[in-house]
């Protein structure tokens, strides 16, 4: 029989939440669109064997030995409250890898016995889902009534965080498609979808030269893009999105001062008011949200525009 778990590894105590174990600083994310009190994403860096012997309830296992090749599975840098659990050496290695890429996190030392006292912990192989989309997409879909099932297209999907989230959220009655022109990113996206057990298609295509309508035979009911700008594509969306459909978009804005990180050219950034014009009433849309904030690029938070709009006719 397997050895008994450590004495501190007790069944989850409903009176001790994971939130209560974390410093308040862990619950604030830069430029966050998340609700107050959003549960933190807790990543356990220890070897899988140690995780199965005992771990915090609700935590996710991502051994340090796999961290570098599985970075795309982490929440987007800086957008979700994140806590790492591991030994001092594991945390030091993770810190050197993640901080330069923009991730911010709390650290909890698993080799400190005081950390476990009173914690809601458990043993076994169950690892909580790690996937999180960009915070604005999560916030937008929580806010609105979803349109009738059709196709949801994630433009410039990269390694698939947002496309897989859409597939999880929308379910099997929808067709979810991620499109990108980077083959390696699409391979990672497919692995992510397979690992999450969702059905999502990934298309290798250049949307600057190909219509989104070519990707599906179903009505396009959601179009999402993040950190991507192609004005001809945006101007074409009134002819592409089905009535009642949604556009959820966030990308960089030409702000008040010179950019400190890419994209540097003004042509690669939105102008203030541009999205409201492209998706205004005269274009057959209702703007539900139009906000300014920041997006991370090369470790720098740069001005950005966030838009949620519904096609009305």
């Amino acid at each position: 029989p397997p050895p008994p778990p450590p004495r501190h590894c007790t069944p989850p105590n409903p009176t001790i939440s994971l939130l209560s174990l974390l410093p308040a600083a862990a619950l604030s994310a830069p430029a966050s669109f998340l609700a107050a009190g959003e549960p933190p994403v807790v990543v356990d860096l220890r070897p899988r064997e140690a995780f199965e012997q005992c771990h915090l309830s609700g935590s996710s296992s991502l051994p340090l030995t796999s961290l570098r090749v599985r970075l795309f599975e982490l929440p987007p840098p800086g957008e979700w409250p994140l806590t790492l659990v591991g030994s001092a050496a594991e945390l030091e290695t993770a810190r050197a890898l993640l901080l330069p890429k923009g991730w911010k996190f709390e650290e909890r030392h698993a080799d400190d016995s005081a950390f476990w006292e009173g914690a809601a912990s458990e043993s076994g192989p169950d690892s909580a889902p790690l996937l999180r989309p960009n915070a604005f997409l999560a916030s937008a879909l929580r806010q609105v009534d979803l349109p009738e099932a059709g196709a949801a297209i994630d433009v410039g999907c990269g390694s698939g965080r947002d496309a897989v989230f859409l597939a999880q959220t929308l379910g099997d009655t929808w067709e979810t498609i991620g499109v990108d022109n980077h083959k390696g990113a699409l391979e990672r996206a497919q692995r992510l979808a397979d690992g999450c057990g969702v059905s999502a298609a990934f298309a290798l295509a250049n949307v600057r030269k190909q219509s989104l309508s070519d990707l599906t035979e179903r009505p396009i009911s959601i179009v999402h893009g993040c950190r991507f700008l192609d004005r001809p594509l945006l101007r074409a969306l009134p002819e592409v999105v089905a009535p009642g459909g949604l556009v959820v978009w966030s990308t960089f804005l030409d702000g008040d001062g010179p950019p400190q990180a890419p994209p540097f050219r003004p042509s690669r950034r939105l102008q203030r008011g541009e999205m409201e014009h492209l998706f205004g009433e005269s274009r057959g849309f209702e703007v539900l949200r139009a906000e300014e904030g920041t997006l991370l690029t090369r470790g720098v938070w740069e001005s950005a525009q966030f838009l949620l709009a519904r096609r009305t006719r």
Side-chain angles (χ1 to χ4, degrees):
R7 283 189 297 174
H8 60 251
C9 199
T10 58
N13 184 339
T15 67
I16 304 177
S17 71
L18 194 56
L19 289 171
S20 70
L21 300 175
L22 304 176
L27 307 181
S28 60
S32 177
F33 293 97
L34 305 178
E38 183 72 33
V41 181
V42 181
V43 179
D44 195 317
L45 300 171
R46 298 173 301 153
R48 185 71 186 188
E49 296 79 6
F51 177 87
E52 292 188 5
Q53 186 180 31
C54 186
H55 58 268
L56 288 180
S57 301
S59 61
S60 305
S61 176
L62 180 53
L64 180 67
T65 53
S66 303
L67 181 61
R68 185 178 296 275
V69 297
R70 295 175 59 189
L71 286 178
F72 64 95
E73 297 181 32
L74 290 175
E79 296 191 27
W80 293 78
L82 180 65
T83 296
L84 303 184
V85 176
S87 68
E90 289 163 341
L91 292 170
E92 181 180 7
T93 301
R95 196 183 307 126
L97 176 62
L98 297 179
L99 289 180
K101 299 180 183 298
W103 273 283
K104 305 295 182 184
F105 44 84
E106 295 291 333
E107 299 180 6
R108 307 299 292 208
H109 290 257
D111 42 11
D112 180 1
S113 59
F115 165 61
W116 297 97
E117 295 301 326
S121 56
E122 58 188 18
S123 57
D126 290 344
S127 175
L130 184 58
L131 178 76
R132 300 293 189 281
N134 75 74
F136 181 68
L137 175 60
S139 171
L141 292 195
R142 290 173 181 176
Q143 170 188 341
V144 298
D145 294 328
L146 293 176
E148 292 186 9
I153 299 180
D154 183 22
V155 181
C157 68
S159 298
R161 282 191 195 100
D162 296 334
V164 173
F165 168 78
L166 285 169
Q168 286 180 329
T169 303
L170 300 174
D172 294 337
T173 60
W174 285 71
E175 179 185 20
T176 301
I177 303 168
V179 58
D180 205 287
N181 63 356
H182 191 291
K183 184 178 179 181
L186 293 177
E187 291 172 349
R188 291 190 293 273
Q190 189 63 64
R191 291 200 305 272
L192 184 61
D194 293 343
C196 292
V198 300
S199 175
F202 295 96
L204 182 65
N206 184 349
V207 295
R208 301 183 194 276
K209 299 179 180 180
Q210 180 178 350
S211 171
L212 298 183
S213 300
D214 296 338
L215 301 174
T216 179
E217 296 181 357
R218 299 188 64 178
I220 298 176
S221 297
I222 295 179
V223 175
H224 169 260
C226 182
R227 293 180 172 83
F228 183 85
L229 177 59
D230 182 66
R231 288 180 171 86
L233 182 149
L234 293 175
R235 286 194 290 267
L237 288 185
E239 307 302 323
V240 171
V241 177
L246 299 172
V247 174
V248 188
W249 209 272
S250 52
T251 197
F252 297 102
L253 180 70
D254 193 12
D256 297 323
Q260 303 302 306
F264 292 106
R265 286 187 288 172
S267 62
R268 294 296 181 92
R269 291 174 176 251
L270 291 167
Q271 299 300 308
R272 283 197 168 95
E274 186 175 358
M275 290 294 275
E276 292 94 319
H277 173 72
L278 285 172
F279 296 99
E281 185 177 352
S282 65
R283 302 277 289 166
F285 279 84
E286 176 189 7
V287 175
L288 305 177
R289 289 174 66 176
E291 305 173 26
E292 290 187 21
T294 56
L295 284 171
L296 189 67
T297 173
R298 305 286 178 86
V300 178
W301 291 94
E302 287 282 331
S303 298
Q305 173 81 55
F306 301 83
L307 179 121
L308 170 65
R310 187 186 300 275
R311 186 179 170 193
T312 56
R313 56 178 173 83

